[in-house]
Amino acid sequence: RSMMAQVSLYTTRFCPFCIRAKMLLDAKKIEYSEIPVDVDQAGRRLMTARAGSHTVPQIWIGEKHIGGCDELYQLEREGLLDELLGEHYE
């Protein structure tokens, strides 16, 4: 597990898509760092600059911006999420 890419999410507290994204990561036992931007305007500006979008969640795996909740679930459906994370299941 030491080779797993760092996952980070910009979130707000009551965003249903943020909650769904965290549920998927939690179900897969993937550790992530959550960056709440509810009241952090500077954090939200940084997120918007990094992501090119102001909506939450914004999710990165390592340095790769994957987008939001829908994109995260799409990667999982296509079997690509584990590969991006550096996990290889036999």
Side-chain angles (χ1 to χ4, degrees), residues 4-89:
M4 185 183 285
Q6 175 65 43
V7 178
S8 55
L9 296 86
Y10 287 85
T11 63
T12 59
R13 192 173 310 133
F14 299 111
C15 157
F17 297 103
C18 299
I19 293 165
R20 283 190 60 221
K22 292 187 290 182
M23 283 173 58
L24 175 59
L25 295 172
D26 290 341
K28 293 179 68 64
K29 297 188 176 6
I30 295 164
E31 291 182 27
Y32 54 88
S33 57
E34 183 175 358
I35 305 146
V37 293
D38 312 69
V39 294
D40 179 2
Q41 291 310 309
R44 189 174 278 256
R45 281 193 299 275
L46 176 64
M47 175 199 79
T48 301
R50 280 186 78 195
S53 176
H54 65 279
T55 60
V56 288
Q58 291 298 326
I59 306 165
W60 274 263
I61 297 176
E63 293 301 310
K64 182 176 176 55
H65 178 235
I66 62 159
C69 181
D70 291 345
E71 290 81 7
L72 183 70
Y73 274 83
Q74 184 70 31
L75 287 169
E76 175 67 0
R77 276 193 300 277
E78 293 173 357
L80 301 174
L81 184 56
D82 294 334
E83 189 178 311
L84 269 177
L85 290 163
E87 297 250 340
H88 300 282
Y89 298 106

